[in-house]
Amino acid sequence: MKENQTISVSYLSYGNISELSDADQLLLSKAIELSNDAYAPYSEFHVGAAVLLKSGEVVAGSNQENAAYPSGLCAERVAMFAASANFRDVDMETIAIYAASETTAQKQISPCGSCRQVMVEYEVKQANNVRVLLMNSSKEVWEFNSCKDLLPLAFDFTALKKQ
Ligand code: THU
């Protein structure tokens, strides 16, 4: 039987960072600050990512590029890998991401496919959702309740488990 299926994702959009809670504003400000630490001499595209842990700790990330281009890594993965490496069993609550884009200032920027896969991995591992806050130079903020919202039908470890 052929049926039409639909996947829908809802998220909140804010016209300005000032509409967010104080805690979220603080985390996004940290992501903005972190974008200045990006090592992006090739793309000149600066991204900062701040991961808030359940313990209150904030783990920093920014994109790190390399002359051998594929060896570089996005800000989101730098931050999440650092969080997992340094605080293995502490849940991640929120990741705030800021892309200092001059070129696409009107358009929101969202994580690449590989980052989404990594974000979902930790969310599934900890069995608790990780909120995602996205912001770019246009100053609009988008809030997703879960990394899975950014990667519907994600592949995760359950697919590897034998019966
Ligand atoms: N980049 C990120 O750090 N995060 C994103 O969400 C998109 C892209 C980085 C990777 C690379 O250093 C530069 O931005 C251009 O792709």
Side-chain angles (χ1 to χ4, degrees):
M1 188 173 57
K2 183 165 130 187
E3 277 181 83
N4 195 35
Q5 310 287 355
T6 307
I7 296 171
S8 70
V9 172
S10 75
Y11 62 94
L12 289 171
S13 70
Y14 303 86
N16 193 281
I17 187 172
S18 61
E19 295 165 44
L20 293 151
S21 70
D22 288 351
D24 284 350
Q25 285 189 46
L26 200 69
L27 196 65
L28 262 174
S29 313
K30 184 73 189 162
I32 295 170
E33 227 176 273
L34 288 167
S35 68
N36 295 313
D37 296 332
Y39 174 62
Y42 306 105
S43 70
E44 294 182 354
F45 188 81
H46 299 95
V47 185
V51 175
L52 174 67
L53 303 181
K54 202 162 183 195
S55 59
E57 218 105 23
V58 174
V59 182
S62 53
N63 52 326
Q64 301 296 317
E65 297 186 348
N66 194 280
Y69 292 0
S71 301
L73 204 60
C74 297
E76 295 89 329
R77 272 176 289 166
V78 170
M80 280 215 169
F81 287 155
S84 181
N86 290 291
F87 304 92
R88 198 185 57 192
D89 293 322
V90 186
D91 277 11
M92 305 182 201
E93 283 193 340
T94 308
I95 180 167
I97 303 158
Y98 175 76
S101 160
E102 309 275 299
T103 47
T104 52
Q106 296 315 307
K107 190 177 164 287
Q108 191 59 270
I109 287 148
S110 66
C112 78
S114 297
C115 284
R116 290 173 199 221
Q117 184 66 34
V118 166
M119 290 158 75
V120 167
E121 178 76 23
Y122 291 120
E123 193 172 72
V124 172
K125 173 188 168 254
Q126 68 184 29
N128 271 317
N129 68 306
V130 182
R131 284 190 317 132
V132 183
L133 299 172
L134 300 179
M135 185 181 173
N136 72 351
S137 309
S138 75
K139 305 293 181 235
E140 192 178 321
V141 178
W142 289 2
E143 177 187 355
F144 294 83
N145 259 328
S146 159
C147 296
K148 284 193 200 111
D149 291 339
L150 290 171
L151 192 62
L153 306 178
F155 182 82
D156 66 37
F157 78 92
T158 55
L160 301 173
K161 288 233 157 145
K162 299 225 168 71
Q163 298 252 347

